[in-house]
Amino acid sequence: MTGMLKTDLCIRLGIDHPVVLAPMAGSTNATLVAAVGNAGGLGSHGCAAVPPDRLGAETAAIRAATNRPFNLNFFVHRTPVADPGREKALQARLQPFFDELDLGPVPSAAAPFPPFGTTHLEALLADPPPIVSFHFGLPGADTLAPLKAKGCLNVSSATTVAQARWLEEHGADVIVAQGAEAGGHRGTFLNDDYASAMIGTLALVPQIVDAVDMPVVAAGGIADGRGLAAALALGAQAVQMGTAFLQTDESPIDSSYRTALSDAEGERTQVTKVFSGRPARGIRNRYLEQMADVEHDLPDFPLPYGMNGALRKAATERGIADFPSFWAGQAVALARPEAAAALVERIVDEAQAVIAGLSG
Ligand SMILES: Cc1cc2nc3c(=O)[nH]c(=O)nc-3n(C[C@H](O)[C@H](O)[C@H](O)COP(=O)(O)O)c2cc1C
């Protein structure tokens, strides 16, 4: 039987275990969110690319599958500024890849999704989720206030102590301390000094715990009960795991992504801007390696994502591992295929055994 590691944050969120399924745009769905919620963790759905008029249906699908709390996540990046020179240069670089897959001309730059805005807010207010989380900062007080008035808790990620303090001052209720080990996009904001916002989870979590007066969730490189026990020892009140959940039975990722994950070791992952224009950790493949020289000359996030979208999609459909963005963190090799509920229960049991072993 799965025991209890209930923290104050678990009580506040209404969950049984201090385990959060990371929101993963494109890689979470209602089934996975509900499976984690029903197992007593917190399910999060990455909604950055969900059109606002689909949000109601996504929320309804989650509610139909669970009556437990859940979290919807959005990107609050700056609206990209056009840069015709960089866009033309990227088009020229992508054309040989497009030719290789017979995809015709590379499209001109267009954002594949907008930042969180008024239409998203209206959709959320129509059927408010218990928890709303943001990546790359927080929306303004005029957005947070109506959400809070509806009872939504606001969460965002920090990769430095300065970002955590900023989030506390600007209305976050919970902070995710995202270490450099994490898969997917770095939540870094406030400046573009991405290279230095690469603090490891072990160093970052206790510094953020000391700096802010609110619950902290540890993220990055945590994939088993040892990681959960360590995060609790560092002062975190829960862990947020992405990479570990990607390999669960309910995860909606395709088979080439699953294969890439199961074949990868931690050193095969790398933080790169080449897919989207913002730094994110993924498994090295041909696109990641061959585009490395344009890393610092890309159009604004998320324009590159729009421009290479057809390439990533076609490669995925044809099972070609050279071009998709296989986001994954450094703990990728710790994860294994299993049901999401089994993962939640296993890491809680393992963490309890670790903690008991230490005190014994
Ligand atoms: C495939 C993937 C997609 C992600 N997408 C998002 C996202 O949409 N929003 C977000 O806040 N974090 C996103 N993240 C980051 C996670 O919230 C979290 O910080 C990270 O997964 C923790 O590290 P781990 O992958 O080592 O568990 C993503 C991570 C992965 C692996």
Side-chain angles (χ1 to χ4, degrees):
M1 190 204 117
T2 302
M4 303 290 279
L5 275 178
K6 222 169 184 165
T7 62
D8 288 348
L9 179 61
C10 293
I11 295 165
R12 185 145 170 219
L13 296 175
I15 59 177
D16 300 329
H17 308 302
V19 178
V20 180
L21 158 69
M24 296 185 278
S27 298
T28 50
N29 62 10
T31 308
L32 179 57
V33 170
V36 174
N38 289 336
L42 176 68
S44 312
H45 189 19
C47 295
V50 175
D53 62 5
R54 286 276 318 153
L55 281 174
E58 297 285 326
T59 304
I62 297 171
R63 287 197 198 284
T66 184
N67 55 14
R68 305 305 302 260
F70 60 92
N71 164 31
L72 301 185
N73 173 267
F74 301 90
F75 288 176
V76 283
H77 56 285
R78 279 188 307 262
T79 301
V81 178
D83 183 332
R86 288 183 170 208
E87 290 161 18
K88 263 204 146 71
L90 181 58
Q91 270 180 313
R93 276 303 294 267
L94 291 175
Q95 194 60 58
F97 293 152
F98 272 61
D99 291 344
E100 201 177 311
L101 299 198
D102 261 332
L103 297 173
V106 177
S108 43
F113 48 79
F116 184 86
T118 325
T119 45
H120 295 91
L121 178 63
E122 281 163 7
L124 289 187
L125 293 175
D127 186 5
I131 298 134
V132 180
S133 72
F134 299 97
H135 218 35
F136 317 129
L138 276 176
D142 51 339
T143 297
L144 291 185
L147 287 170
K148 284 184 191 239
K150 293 273 189 183
C152 301
L153 278 183
N154 295 305
V155 182
S156 184
S157 291
T159 64
T160 63
V161 167
Q163 289 163 26
R165 289 209 174 100
W166 187 96
L167 291 175
E168 181 173 44
E169 281 160 22
H170 289 80
D173 298 306
V174 178
I175 291 176
V176 178
Q178 189 199 34
E181 298 91 323
H185 280 91
R186 315 272 317 123
T188 305
F189 63 100
L190 291 184
N191 59 44
D192 294 342
D193 185 10
Y194 299 126
S196 47
M198 288 292 287
I199 305 167
T201 305
L202 192 69
L204 183 67
V205 171
Q207 294 184 68
I208 290 185
V209 167
D210 287 348
V212 299
D213 191 16
M214 61 175 49
V216 173
V217 175
I222 300 163
D224 65 15
R226 292 169 293 186
L228 171 55
L232 296 174
L234 295 172
Q237 295 207 24
V239 294
Q240 176 160 304
M241 305 192 305
T243 302
F245 279 109
L246 281 177
Q247 297 195 47
T248 57
D249 302 342
E250 296 86 346
S251 158
I253 65 172
D254 63 90
S255 60
S256 60
Y257 197 169
R258 270 184 201 274
T259 304
L261 290 168
S262 62
D263 288 351
E265 299 289 337
E267 71 272 19
R268 286 280 317 278
T269 72
Q270 185 177 318
V271 174
T272 180
K273 289 168 69 177
V274 296
F275 284 106
S276 72
R278 287 186 78 104
R281 186 178 290 282
I283 296 171
R284 271 201 298 280
N285 62 0
R286 190 172 146 215
Y287 185 96
L288 193 156
E289 284 168 356
Q290 293 189 353
M291 294 292 284
D293 60 307
V294 296
E295 170 114 15
H296 302 293
D297 304 309
L298 293 165
D300 280 358
F301 175 91
L303 297 175
Y305 241 175
M307 295 170 72
N308 63 28
L311 177 70
R312 289 182 293 113
K313 184 166 179 281
T316 301
E317 284 165 4
R318 299 178 205 175
I320 300 168
D322 288 353
F323 302 115
S325 47
F326 294 133
W327 303 132
Q330 289 179 335
V332 60
L334 283 177
R336 60 174 87 148
E338 62 192 320
L343 171 57
V344 173
E345 283 159 23
R346 177 169 67 81
I347 90 152
V348 172
D349 287 345
E350 288 171 354
Q352 283 180 314
V354 168
I355 293 165
L358 289 172
S359 55

